[in-house]
Amino acid sequence: MKPLPQRRRPASTRPTKKRSLQSYEGLLDGLPIGVILVSPDGDISAMNAEGARLCGGVAAAPIGASFPELWERLTGLSAGATKALLQGVHREKQPRQPAQVSIRQGRGPAIPVEWTCQPVSFDQHTGVSISLHDTSREQELTHDRNRLASIADESPYPILELDGQASLIYANPVMSALLTRFGYGPDGFPHVVPQGLPDLVRRCLDSNAPIQEIASRLPDACYAWVFCPVKTDRHVRGYAVDLTEAQRAKEALHASAEELIAQNLRLDRALQEAQAATKIKAAFLATVSHELRTPMNGVIGMTNLLLDTTLAPEQRSYAETIRQCGEALLQLINDVLECSKIEAGKLELESIDFNLRTTVEDVLKSFAERAEAKGLELTCLIHAAVPTGLRGDPGRLRQVLTNLLGNAIKFTEHGDVTLQVYLEEETEGDALLRFDVTDSGIGISEDTQRKLFQPFVQADSSMSRRYGGTGLGLSISKQLIELMGGQIGVKSAPERGSTFWCTARFPKQSSSVLAILPLADLQGHRVLIVDDNESNRLILHHLVSGWGMQDVLAEDAASALARIEDAAQRGTPFDCAIVDIVMPGKDGLQLAAELQRLPSAATLRIVVMTSLLQRGHAERARKVGAKGYLTKPVRHDELRDCLRTVLGMAPASAETPQADEAVPRLVTRHTLAELSTRRRVLVVEDNSVNQKLAVRMLEKLGYRPDLVENGQEALTALDAGGYDAVLMDCQMPIMDGFEATAAIRRQEAAGKRYSSAGHLPIIAVTANAMQGDRERCLASGMDAYLAKPIKLEDLRVTLARWIQSPASAESDKNAVQSAGPLSEGRAIFDPSQMLQNIGGDQDLLLQLVDLFLERQADMMSQIRQALSLGDAVTVERAAHTLKGTAGNLCAPEVVLAAGRLEAVGRLGTLHDAPAVYAHLEMEMLRLLRVLEEYRGRSGGLAQAAA
């Protein structure tokens, strides 16, 4: 409280003990209402804290200020009226309570206030006490109470409240209407509430928890009730939901369900009767078909025997007619029997592992003769993304493809027939494949397409007379494809050819290989494809580009010659050319002969292909300089092996005449089959120098080497099969040799056979020659251990221990004397030891030196980059690679320095790396000088020898 200033009385007039305003300050400040003391004239003498708050603070209402003026500012009431009011209270000594006012302080909300004026006398002073009561909270409570009451009143659901004896205390309007509508029972409780209401109320109060889903059913209504306890006054509130319509719908649905069950029972009985009749019909048909096959096999078999005897031309013609008619009838019987099996539900698909590429190419091969007889181009392409290791029924897939290809060839008089396989969808466990058979035949009208896959349907009645057939093949194919989880369809137009397509879903084998994989030895080689048929060019393009080759296409001989001349002028000549023999204008053999006389094609190796097998073609191809001769449709592996052979990557067999013989041998599918009998060894190595060394050594020993760059690629290559042993580098990116070996052994333990012997020999090849390295390799599942640098004799002995050794394919006639000691001595580079290691092949030694000089900058750059990034793992791997490469070159100082850096990376102590790397760099500079000097001297010796 702010006390009024008082004049001091003389001591004789002061009362002995009086209370001052200050003594009431704490009391008044604690009041919840505002109190303001004013003089009879309206001047403020004192106020408590709540009064100051309502008046806008002490600053707004200082002691001595005029209350009427302040009140006028706060409420808008006239100051004169307020002053008259205060004077009247003081004069009449009677309190007054004016109407409620609203106080506004600045921009805030208005404060509702009730105020009262009453006279006061204090310490011989009189005045007026003004009480201010803030009613904001009371109004909020009143509003909330009214809102809550309106919720219950306006609710569309019945609400009631009961006391502990289940007596009705409150009912909202909806509940009141129900009470009026349904009334009360003899027990005095409403009909609309559940029975046993007193017991429900008691249980609800005792459990102190809601009781839900209590239903009350009336003849024409149904309600669900929830009863909740009101803890404060031991009451219970009930809430109801009208389920009348829902109950009616439920009863109607139940009646419909009963009717549907009865109808389904009638349909089941009818279906069983129909199935029984169908099975009887199918069984009869199967029996008749089987009985027909037996004599037909006798007719056809005896006719074939008759044709093997000596017959007159007329007799042979009659017998041939009998055979053809018998085979046509047998095909009809087979189709009918197949349909009967499918209809009888007796056809089950096998689930076995198979190779998709082999299956498709076998089907294509069976039609090669028929296509050739009609002069048709028969081609096939399995796209690169298609997995080939699948599980399913290859026989049924072959049956569908045979039908589609057979129809395509039957209804095509000229042009080509192409089979392509695409990957539609793929998950971790299976693949959805699409097969397209496209022809340039007579086409099919849109009306016929809609009924084409029904039994006994052909394009029109004349088709059966002209081309033969029953029209069952497509119907059977449709049902087989649907059993494989796919669909079948056709896109066609009259005289524009047709594309029959089908899809099928197959589970993938655990290690499924893609149809076309990059090949390290074919990578980057340039090939020219010459074929007048666009489909052939497209398929060959997909194949060779998938293997990593760079291809250029030409549609005839003239454009091929132009492309060869252009490539020679740009300094990028072609390594080989794939040429179709049968082309309009200048054919393939004529083009090959012209290329023999063309200086820009002096080193070009030519592979010719033909779909027309004519006597003397192969010999003519050899005479005009072709290195390879293949027949269409060419198999992927035949073309791949032919290109590798003519490019010098696969050595000829021991019987193959050498290049200096008078009659060089032509590479055909038969010579490729001979080459395939030689032992195959998979080389797993990421370093290019080591790759070339290992491949050349294996070729010298008479093996067929294939090359991959890491363990993951090795697993993929092994899934294709056919390898007798593996040379496995231990440290490689992506997947190292230890991980790859573990994966191979796990697969073998699960029953997989990578080689015919069952156990696949894996020979570790590593630059680590420390104690314990051999034991680690053998413990991981490898069979043998070779430390770099690899010696030819060690490799020969090791391979001979695990697989049968072939005859050596090359002699050591290229071996020459070493160039002699070098200026810095054999401590830096020992060519004599290296020459001994590689079997005395001086040409190979020079190639390896050239390759090392070409690649060493990249290897050192990789080490520097890993050091700058603080990547210890890459430092270890890169140093290990350099160590192995230098070991093969017999460069011991670089091997030692690289080995130290490898140890730094393995231990993760990169703070020691700068000094170790500086030493390695110094030794590398010394080695490079020595190698350059050796290369110069050896080159001079080679020229002198020439």
Side-chain angles (χ1 to χ4, degrees):
M1 295 287 293
K2 301 298 180 181
L4 291 170
Q6 301 179 14
R7 292 177 298 174
R8 295 183 61 85
R9 296 181 180 179
S12 60
T13 62
R14 293 179 191 170
T16 56
K17 186 175 181 180
K18 290 185 180 287
R19 284 183 184 269
S20 65
L21 288 175
Q22 287 86 346
S23 62
Y24 292 97
E25 184 176 356
L27 177 63
L28 294 177
D29 282 344
L31 292 176
I33 62 173
V35 178
I36 303 174
L37 298 179
V38 300
S39 67
D41 294 331
D43 295 334
I44 299 175
S45 302
M47 69 173 65
N48 69 348
E50 178 65 8
R53 181 185 73 82
L54 293 174
C55 292
V58 176
I63 302 302
S66 173
F67 176 77
E69 295 178 359
L70 173 65
W71 203 237
E72 183 177 17
R73 291 196 306 270
L74 294 174
T75 65
L77 294 178
S78 170
T82 302
K83 186 174 183 180
L85 174 66
L86 295 177
Q87 289 175 349
V89 171
H90 181 266
R91 183 177 58 254
E92 297 172 3
K93 306 299 182 184
Q94 293 294 330
R96 294 187 186 181
Q97 185 174 3
Q100 180 173 296
V101 296
S102 295
I103 294 177
R104 294 188 177 276
Q105 297 178 357
R107 297 182 179 180
I111 303 173
V113 174
E114 292 179 351
W115 61 303
T116 304
C117 301
Q118 60 183 3
V120 294
S121 178
F122 192 89
D123 195 15
Q124 299 182 356
H125 289 277
T126 59
V128 178
S129 173
I130 302 172
S131 301
L132 304 178
H133 178 208
D134 184 353
T135 61
S136 301
R137 181 59 180 163
E138 294 174 2
Q139 290 185 5
E140 291 176 1
L141 294 175
T142 301
H143 175 73
D144 289 344
R145 182 192 61 195
N146 296 336
R147 180 174 55 81
L148 293 173
S150 66
I151 289 175
D153 291 341
E154 296 171 5
S155 172
Y157 302 104
I159 301 175
L160 56 78
E161 188 167 341
L162 307 168
D163 63 11
Q165 286 73 40
S167 299
L168 184 62
I169 298 174
Y170 167 79
N172 73 339
V174 177
M175 183 65 195
S176 299
L178 294 180
L179 293 175
T180 302
R181 176 183 173 189
F182 296 109
Y184 293 82
D187 55 1
F189 296 108
H191 282 300
V192 76
V193 299
Q195 295 181 355
L197 186 61
D199 183 56
L200 282 174
V201 171
R202 185 171 53 257
R203 286 193 292 118
C204 183
L205 292 174
D206 292 343
S207 65
N208 198 24
I211 298 178
Q212 301 182 3
E213 300 181 3
I214 304 299
S216 62
R217 288 185 174 84
L218 300 171
D220 55 349
C222 179
Y223 290 87
W225 284 88
V226 177
F227 293 92
C228 302
V230 181
K231 302 177 183 179
T232 55
D233 46 14
R234 298 277 299 170
H235 287 179
V236 172
R237 290 197 185 103
Y239 306 90
V241 177
D242 189 353
L243 298 180
T244 303
E245 294 301 324
Q247 182 66 23
R248 290 173 183 169
K250 181 179 178 181
E251 291 172 355
L253 184 62
H254 181 71
S256 299
E258 293 290 339
E259 175 62 25
L260 187 60
I261 291 173
Q263 188 174 358
N264 284 339
L265 290 175
R266 293 192 296 270
L267 290 175
D268 285 342
R269 286 193 295 270
L271 180 61
Q272 290 172 3
E273 293 171 0
Q275 288 175 339
T278 300
K279 287 183 179 179
I280 292 173
K281 180 184 69 174
F284 172 76
L285 191 60
T287 302
V288 172
S289 298
H290 178 75
E291 294 301 324
L292 287 172
R293 284 168 59 88
T294 303
M296 283 309 306
N297 282 329
V299 170
I300 294 173
M302 296 306 294
T303 303
N304 287 331
L305 292 176
L306 179 62
L307 288 170
D308 289 339
T309 63
T310 303
L311 298 174
E314 185 176 7
Q315 294 172 327
R316 183 169 296 279
S317 174
Y318 294 157
E320 187 66 34
T321 302
I322 294 173
R323 183 185 66 81
Q324 292 175 356
C325 293
E327 288 178 348
L329 185 57
L330 182 60
Q331 182 61 45
L332 173 61
I333 294 171
N334 288 337
D335 288 346
V336 171
L337 181 60
E338 196 77 8
C339 279
S340 67
K341 282 183 180 180
I342 295 174
E343 289 185 2
K346 294 182 179 180
L347 184 64
E348 295 182 357
L349 297 180
E350 285 187 318
S351 182
I352 60 175
D353 289 344
F354 71 98
N355 185 283
L356 176 69
R357 190 179 70 187
T358 302
T359 301
V360 171
E361 289 180 343
D362 286 347
V363 173
L364 221 68
K365 184 178 180 181
S366 66
F367 286 101
E369 186 175 350
R370 288 174 56 184
E372 178 194 348
K374 297 186 71 172
L376 300 177
E377 289 278 359
L378 182 60
T379 57
C380 170
L381 175 62
I382 302 175
H383 286 262
V386 176
T388 56
L390 303 175
R391 186 169 183 81
D393 193 333
R396 294 301 179 182
L397 176 61
R398 191 180 294 111
Q399 180 179 349
V400 172
L401 296 180
T402 297
N403 180 263
L404 298 182
L405 280 169
N407 287 342
I409 293 175
K410 179 194 299 185
F411 297 112
T412 304
E413 296 300 330
H414 55 81
D416 52 62
V417 174
T418 302
L419 168 61
Q420 297 195 57
V421 186
Y422 303 88
L423 176 64
E424 288 277 289
E425 298 175 7
E426 185 176 23
T427 65
E428 186 176 350
D430 58 35
L432 180 66
L433 306 184
R434 177 186 174 100
F435 301 83
D436 282 8
V437 177
T438 303
D439 63 61
S440 56
I442 60 177
I444 307 169
S445 67
E446 193 170 334
D447 291 338
T448 306
Q449 291 179 35
R450 286 193 286 268
K451 56 184 180 179
L452 197 57
F453 296 96
Q454 299 175 12
F456 304 104
V457 171
Q458 288 191 333
D460 55 49
S461 58
S462 64
M463 290 295 151
S464 179
R465 294 192 300 270
R466 180 178 178 185
Y467 295 102
T470 62
L472 281 175
L474 288 178
S475 174
I476 295 172
S477 297
K478 179 177 184 294
Q479 296 180 74
L480 290 176
I481 284 297
E482 289 173 350
L483 287 175
M484 297 179 193
Q487 298 176 319
I488 191 169
V490 61
K491 296 178 182 178
S492 182
E495 306 304 327
R496 292 190 175 183
S498 306
T499 296
F500 280 82
W501 61 268
C502 63
T503 60
R505 189 175 296 277
F506 298 99
K508 295 191 297 186
Q509 297 176 23
S510 56
S511 298
S512 184
V513 189
L514 298 183
I516 304 175
L517 291 171
L519 301 175
D521 47 3
L522 292 179
Q523 190 91 21
H525 284 277
R526 289 174 51 78
V527 57
L528 177 65
I529 298 171
V530 188
D531 199 312
D532 63 303
N533 185 277
E534 184 178 0
S535 297
N536 280 339
R537 294 198 303 271
L538 176 66
I539 288 172
L540 290 173
H541 160 72
H542 278 286
L543 284 177
V544 300
S545 61
W547 293 331
M549 304 181 76
Q550 300 175 15
D551 65 304
V552 175
L553 307 181
E555 64 276 7
D556 53 31
S559 57
L561 291 169
R563 285 166 173 75
I564 291 173
E565 290 287 354
D566 180 63
Q569 291 176 4
R570 288 187 287 106
T572 56
F574 293 104
D575 299 299
C576 64
I578 303 173
V579 181
D580 185 26
I581 289 183
V582 181
M583 293 189 296
K586 188 178 296 184
D587 64 24
L589 295 179
Q590 292 171 330
L591 173 61
E594 185 171 348
L595 291 176
Q596 285 293 101
R597 301 186 296 270
L598 195 66
S600 57
T603 60
L604 185 68
R605 297 167 177 83
I606 301 174
V607 176
V608 295
M609 298 175 63
T610 181
S611 56
L612 299 177
L613 295 177
Q614 295 183 8
R615 184 177 297 277
H617 254 176
E619 179 61 21
R620 286 182 57 199
R622 187 191 63 78
K623 288 182 177 180
V624 298
K627 303 297 182 184
Y629 176 86
L630 296 176
T631 57
K632 300 178 185 177
V634 66
R635 299 176 70 102
H636 291 196
D637 51 356
E638 286 180 355
L639 179 60
R640 177 199 64 205
D641 292 344
C642 180
L643 291 175
R644 296 179 70 225
T645 303
V646 300
L647 290 173
M649 297 160 195
S653 63
E655 298 80 20
T656 303
Q658 300 299 316
D660 55 356
E661 294 187 35
V663 184
R665 189 173 184 181
L666 187 69
V667 178
T668 66
R669 64 173 58 182
H670 306 295
T671 59
L672 291 174
E674 293 172 5
L675 286 174
S676 66
T677 60
R678 302 192 305 117
R679 299 290 183 176
R680 297 179 66 195
V681 177
L682 181 64
V683 179
V684 189
E685 172 64 65
D686 62 316
N687 179 267
S688 57
V689 177
N690 296 338
Q691 288 173 354
K692 189 174 186 68
L693 176 62
V695 168
R696 188 61 180 271
M697 282 185 167
L698 288 169
E699 290 175 347
K700 286 176 69 66
L701 293 175
Y703 296 95
R704 283 185 62 199
D706 284 336
L707 186 63
V708 295
E709 295 189 351
N710 57 64
Q712 185 65 56
E713 293 181 4
L715 295 178
T716 301
L718 288 173
D719 285 333
Y723 291 102
D724 299 286
V726 178
L727 287 184
M728 182 78 75
D729 187 24
C730 292
Q731 293 198 0
M732 295 175 291
I734 302 177
M735 178 184 286
D736 64 27
F738 299 108
E739 295 175 69
T741 300
I744 293 169
R745 297 311 183 211
R746 282 196 302 270
Q747 291 291 337
E748 288 182 339
K752 188 163 188 174
R753 294 172 65 90
Y754 286 104
S755 69
S756 57
H759 177 82
L760 178 68
I762 301 176
I763 300 167
V765 180
T766 179
N768 289 333
M770 303 298 292
Q771 185 176 2
D773 290 333
R774 181 177 183 275
E775 288 72 19
R776 182 187 177 194
C777 292
L778 298 180
S780 69
M782 299 178 183
D783 300 287
Y785 172 91
L786 288 174
K788 297 176 183 177
I790 305 174
K791 298 180 181 180
L792 187 65
E793 186 59 27
D794 293 343
L795 182 60
R796 186 201 309 274
V797 172
T798 302
L799 287 173
R801 178 185 174 190
W802 294 100
I803 57 178
Q804 181 180 356
S805 301
S808 178
E810 292 185 26
S811 66
D812 295 338
K813 63 182 181 180
N814 292 331
V816 297
Q817 269 193 324
S818 169
L822 301 175
S823 58
E824 295 194 34
R826 298 180 184 273
I828 305 301
F829 170 54
D830 191 346
S832 299
Q833 182 62 47
M834 182 178 177
L835 202 59
Q836 181 180 348
N837 291 347
I838 62 176
D841 191 337
Q842 180 72 17
D843 290 340
L844 176 59
L845 186 150
L846 289 174
Q847 291 178 24
L848 293 175
V849 168
D850 288 341
L851 193 56
F852 178 82
L853 291 173
E854 178 183 342
R855 301 293 175 84
Q856 56 83 23
D858 290 339
M859 290 189 284
M860 293 296 288
S861 175
Q862 187 178 8
I863 293 174
R864 284 195 301 272
Q865 185 176 4
L867 288 173
S868 65
L869 296 175
D871 187 351
V873 174
T874 304
V875 169
E876 178 189 1
R877 186 174 66 245
H880 176 85
T881 300
L882 179 59
K883 181 178 74 172
T885 306
N888 286 329
L889 283 177
C890 294
E893 293 300 323
V894 173
V895 170
L896 181 60
R900 290 172 180 168
L901 187 60
E902 178 188 13
V904 168
R906 185 184 302 115
L907 297 174
T909 56
L910 294 184
H911 56 275
D912 296 331
V916 178
Y917 176 76
H919 178 67
L920 172 63
E921 197 170 38
M922 181 185 69
E923 294 299 336
M924 279 291 294
L925 291 174
R926 295 175 61 199
L927 176 62
L928 293 178
R929 285 197 299 269
V930 172
L931 291 178
E932 291 287 359
E933 180 183 347
Y934 179 82
R935 182 168 62 175
R937 296 178 60 184
S938 299
L941 287 175
Q943 291 178 1

